[in-house]
Amino acid sequence: MRKIALEEHFTSPELSSYAHGPGSSMNREGFGRFEKGLLDFDGARLEAMDRAGIELAVLSVTTPGVQAEPDAHLAIRRAREANDLLARQIQRHPTRYAGFAHLPLQDPSAAANELSRCIEDLGFKGAMINGHTNGRYLDEDIYHPFWERVQQLDVPIYLHPRDPHDMPHIYRGHPELLGATWSWTVETATHALRMVFGGTFDRFPGVRLVLGHMGETLPYLLWRLDSRTRIQSGADQGRRRLPSEVIRKHIAVTTTGVCAHAALLCAVSALGEDSVMFSVDYPYEDCSVAAEFIATAPISEAVRAKICHGNAERLLRIEVEQTNRKVA
Ligand code: MN
């Protein structure tokens, strides 16, 4: 079945140093294993997509990118360069690649302007935000102008993990829990919940967020979030939507890095069949493993088609003609 994948990463020589820089759980050696794949647009990436039946990959800068840059002016310049590089690669492979904008969130209005440029001039499909930006989270008041623009442009924002701003004490002595193994999940789920509980989706009802990694555990926990919210907020609860209502309406998830049928069935059951989308997390995950996982999932063909391409086509407004029909 033809597929669209939307958590697929790239880097450039200028951006690579952020991926193994200060505060990153990945060291130079660990990153080195993936760097070649991240820099490639013409070789192994396309071959892996072909083997897995992935027609279109929506590309994004690997975490954390310029969001780790302390100098806002430099972040603005490098984000623009990254987006221009991506636009050139999409132009070279228009049926195989689409883009998510890389944004300098150190300056919320510059980020909003760069998002406009990426959507209106470069034809990108949304943006990927790699967690906090120098410790600022997306529910904070400084980001209201940014969300206002997102709502106007009506594009999804993909919230991707990065390492926590301050290393929590609980990880001391356990470096194996850092990064994609566990700490990114806690960080990203908490970031999304700051927006849910902080009212971002009430203030900006048009905003749609995408989470990778089968929703960073949130689909599994909806009942508990509602139950404790009802008890903690008491009589006030009547006036507010429950967390599960906000999450179901405003958050979609992708299957990146969780090739497990039990987790997929939970996500579809909790969020609905229109809110789950296939993705890989290339080059950190294997396209063929992800393709095999979705091909063998115990779901109907109609639901499989929605997850593999239909939901992404609708949410990202991807024209079917853009995709390459030659790939089976
Ligand atoms: Mn990723």
Side-chain angles (χ1 to χ4, degrees):
M1 183 173 286
R2 66 193 178 85
K3 290 180 275 298
I4 296 170
L6 43 151
E7 195 195 305
E8 318 310 321
H9 304 302
F10 74 96
T11 192
S12 69
E14 293 73 33
L15 295 166
S16 270
S17 60
Y18 295 120
H20 52 83
S24 171
S25 55
M26 202 182 281
N27 60 25
R28 182 77 194 82
E29 190 188 3
F31 182 71
R33 296 213 312 274
F34 302 106
E35 192 167 17
K36 197 165 159 235
L38 290 163
L39 291 166
D40 163 57
F41 294 91
D42 301 297
R45 185 192 297 272
L46 288 172
E47 287 162 21
M49 286 169 62
D50 287 345
R51 277 197 302 277
I54 298 168
E55 287 187 345
L56 186 76
V58 186
L59 303 182
S60 51
V61 170
T62 199
T63 192
V66 303
Q67 288 179 249
E69 173 55 57
D71 177 345
H73 293 288
L74 188 55
I76 292 169
R77 179 160 66 76
R78 286 195 166 158
R80 197 180 168 91
E81 288 167 1
N83 292 322
D84 287 343
L85 166 69
L86 178 54
R88 286 194 299 277
Q89 296 298 342
I90 294 168
Q91 231 167 26
R92 293 176 62 241
H93 301 283
T95 62
R96 308 308 304 278
Y97 298 145
F100 277 138
H102 191 51
L103 301 176
L105 288 143
Q106 290 85 344
D107 180 336
S109 55
N113 291 339
E114 182 62 7
L115 180 63
S116 291
R117 185 181 82 90
C118 288
I119 303 303
E120 290 166 353
D121 300 347
L122 306 182
F124 288 6
K125 305 301 182 190
M128 180 165 289
I129 296 179
N130 293 310
H132 67 85
T133 304
N134 298 330
R136 306 303 296 258
Y137 289 88
L138 293 166
D139 59 295
E140 296 182 38
D141 289 354
I142 56 160
Y143 289 116
H144 287 175
F146 173 73
W147 289 118
E148 186 73 52
R149 188 75 60 89
V150 170
Q151 193 168 249
Q152 276 168 20
L153 292 166
D154 194 17
V155 290
I157 300 296
Y158 198 126
L159 182 60
H160 185 279
R162 73 171 288 194
D163 293 286
H165 182 61
D166 298 311
M167 193 52 69
H169 178 78
I170 193 169
Y171 297 121
R172 221 164 67 166
H174 286 273
E176 73 280 7
L177 295 177
L178 299 176
T181 306
W182 181 242
S183 72
W184 282 5
T185 305
V186 176
E187 174 77 11
T188 312
T190 307
H191 195 165
L193 289 176
R194 285 179 62 122
M195 294 176 64
V196 170
F197 284 84
T200 308
F201 300 107
D202 301 313
R203 194 181 292 267
F204 304 103
V207 167
R208 289 280 301 202
L209 202 69
V210 180
L211 294 175
H213 316 108
M214 214 64 92
E216 312 286 3
T217 70
L218 295 185
Y220 192 81
L221 292 170
L222 294 185
W223 192 92
R224 184 161 172 79
L225 292 169
D226 285 357
S227 152
R228 292 304 98 179
T229 298
R230 275 199 194 95
I231 286 169
Q232 284 178 9
S233 51
D236 289 346
Q237 185 50 50
R239 295 198 293 275
R240 297 203 60 180
R241 289 186 290 172
L242 285 165
S244 67
E245 296 174 66
V246 179
I247 291 169
R248 283 198 186 99
K249 189 163 169 51
H250 297 277
I251 299 182
V253 306
T254 72
T255 62
T256 50
V258 185
C259 295
H261 292 155
L264 176 71
L265 296 179
C266 174
V268 171
S269 167
L271 303 180
E273 62 192 47
D274 295 327
S275 293
V276 181
M277 297 177 283
F278 173 82
S279 292
V280 177
D281 201 2
Y282 185 88
Y284 304 102
E285 299 284 346
D286 187 315
C287 292
S288 297
V289 170
E292 173 73 12
F293 149 73
I294 203 66
T296 55
I299 50 178
S300 72
E301 290 313 300
V303 172
R304 201 183 324 275
K306 283 184 174 187
I307 293 172
C308 284
H309 60 89
N311 292 336
E313 282 161 357
R314 189 186 68 252
L315 185 63
L316 277 65
R317 292 200 195 84
I318 289 169
E319 314 235 335
V320 175
E321 303 83 65
Q322 184 180 353
T323 61
N324 182 352
R325 292 297 189 171
K326 286 193 295 261
V327 180

